[in-house]
Structures are given as structure tokens and as C-alpha cells.
């Protein structure tokens, strides 16, 4: 009969051989060249084609077409809304120009060096990642006279 130690030693040796690092007969220069070429050609590789039966392929095409139509419809509605807003802004600017040219020129005056204030958050579709900026200190006015 074999003892427990006699059985365990060959198993450990086999396990260690399996987990050992593979060595190749390629020189490091050739290996570097192969790696560089594989990285360069990685961008040109095509994705694998889906292997679908005819019914599944038709379903896939229908879903893809419906999704692209939905995206196009959303894009057109967003573009129409933006065009409507632009028309409204240009109409308001023309009315202001007719009513008071001084106010129109003052509203459209270029101010260099003026930055967007931190207190105002740009409206987005998603909530901010940081809900509150705790370390905010408002800028001190330089021309305050005592």
C-alpha cells in the first residue's frame, strides 16, 4: 500500500508543472515585434457576424430598423425644439432692438474675462454627481470701499 505522502508528492509536482510559466523559443525582439503588429492590426479586425436563423435575422433587422427610426425621430424633435427656441430668441432680440437700441447693445456687449458663476448650474437631463459643493467660498469684491 502507498502512504499518503507518497501519493501527495507526485500530485504536487504535476500541479506545479501545470502552473509554471510557459517559455517560448521566440527571442524577445521577435516577441516585441509580434506584439506591436498585433496591436496595430487590432483596430482593423471586424466583429464576428451573428449566426442566426432566418427568423431571428428578420427579427434582428426589424428591431435595428425600429431603433434607428426612434433615434432619428428623437433627434428631429430635439432639433425642432432648438430651432423653435432660436427663432423665439431672435424674435425677442429684434423686438428689443426696435424698442430700445441702447438696451440691445448693452445686452450684446462682449465682456472679456468674465466667467460663468459657480452658483448657477447648467441644466442637464441627469442629476449632478456632487449634490452640494461644501467648500465653496464666494469671491470677494475688490472695489469694496470702507
Amino acid at each position: 500500500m502507498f502512504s499518503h505522502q507518497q501519493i501527495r508528492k507526485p500530485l504536487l509536482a504535476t500541479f506545479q508543472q501545470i502552473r509554471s510559466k510557459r517559455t517560448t523559443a521566440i527571442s524577445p525582439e521577435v516577441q516585441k515585434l509580434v506584439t506591436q503588429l498585433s496591436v496595430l492590426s487590432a483596430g482593423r479586425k471586424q466583429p464576428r457576424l451573428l449566426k442566426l436563423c432566418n427568423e431571428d435575422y428578420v427579427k434582428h433587422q426589424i428591431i435595428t430598423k425600429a431603433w434607428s427610426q426612434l433615434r432619428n425621430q428623437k433627434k428631429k424633435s430635439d432639433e425642432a425644439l432648438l430651432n423653435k427656441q432660436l427663432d423665439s430668441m431672435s424674435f425677442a432680440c429684434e423686438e428689443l432692438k426696435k424698442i430700445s437700441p441702447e438696451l440691445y447693445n448693452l445686452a450684446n456687449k462682449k465682456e472679456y474675462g468674465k466667467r460663468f458663476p459657480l452658483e448657477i448650474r447648467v441644466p442637464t437631463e441627469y442629476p449632478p454627481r456632487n449634490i452640494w459643493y461644501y467648500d465653496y467660498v464666494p469671491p470677494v469684491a475688490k472695489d469694496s470701499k470702507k
Side-chain angles (χ1 to χ4, degrees), residues 35-54:
T35 304
Q36 288 176 347
L37 288 174
S38 67
V39 167
L40 288 175
S41 66
R44 287 180 260 169
K45 291 181 181 171
Q46 295 293 324
R48 265 193 346 213
L49 293 176
L50 295 175
K51 295 179 183 176
L52 301 173
C53 66
N54 287 339

Side-chain angles (χ1 to χ4, degrees), residues 70-84:
L70 181 70
R71 276 195 339 231
N72 288 339
Q73 185 180 10
K74 186 175 183 334
K75 189 187 294 185
K76 285 180 183 177
S77 67
D78 290 347
E79 191 173 326
L81 179 65
L82 287 175
N83 285 333
K84 188 176 177 183

Side-chain angles (χ1 to χ4, degrees), residues 14-22:
T14 308
F15 182 70
Q16 288 170 352
Q17 287 173 356
I18 293 172
R19 294 199 51 188
S20 66
K21 184 177 178 183
R22 290 186 198 167

Side-chain angles (χ1 to χ4, degrees), residues 17 20-21 27 29 40 42 47 50 54-55 58 69-70 75 80-81 84 89 92 107 114 122 125 130 135:
Q17 287 173 356
S20 66
K21 184 177 178 183
S27 67
E29 294 83 19
L40 288 175
L50 295 175
N54 287 339
E55 289 181 17
V58 169
Q69 286 179 351
L70 181 70
K75 189 187 294 185
L81 179 65
K84 188 176 177 183
M89 286 172 43
K114 187 170 184 178
V122 179
E125 294 182 12
N130 295 336
D135 300 330

Side-chain angles (χ1 to χ4, degrees), residues 64-145:
T64 304
K65 186 70 173 175
W67 177 249
S68 66
Q69 286 179 351
L70 181 70
R71 276 195 339 231
N72 288 339
Q73 185 180 10
K74 186 175 183 334
K75 189 187 294 185
K76 285 180 183 177
S77 67
D78 290 347
E79 191 173 326
L81 179 65
L82 287 175
N83 285 333
K84 188 176 177 183
Q85 289 175 351
L86 181 64
D87 292 341
S88 176
M89 286 172 43
S90 61
F91 177 73
C93 284
E94 290 300 320
E95 287 294 317
L96 183 62
K97 195 175 197 179
K98 288 178 189 174
I99 295 171
S100 174
E102 297 88 22
L103 283 176
Y104 175 79
N105 291 333
L106 186 64
N108 289 317
K109 188 175 93 173
K110 300 282 184 192
E111 295 182 13
Y112 296 101
K114 187 170 184 178
R115 298 180 67 198
F116 196 80
L118 284 175
E119 298 93 5
I120 300 174
R121 187 178 152 267
V122 179
T124 60
E125 294 182 12
Y126 302 102
R129 289 198 174 112
N130 295 336
I131 303 299
W132 191 258
Y133 183 50
Y134 290 97
D135 300 330
Y136 175 74
V137 178
V140 178
K142 294 181 180 177
D143 9 305
S144 61
K145 296 182 181 178

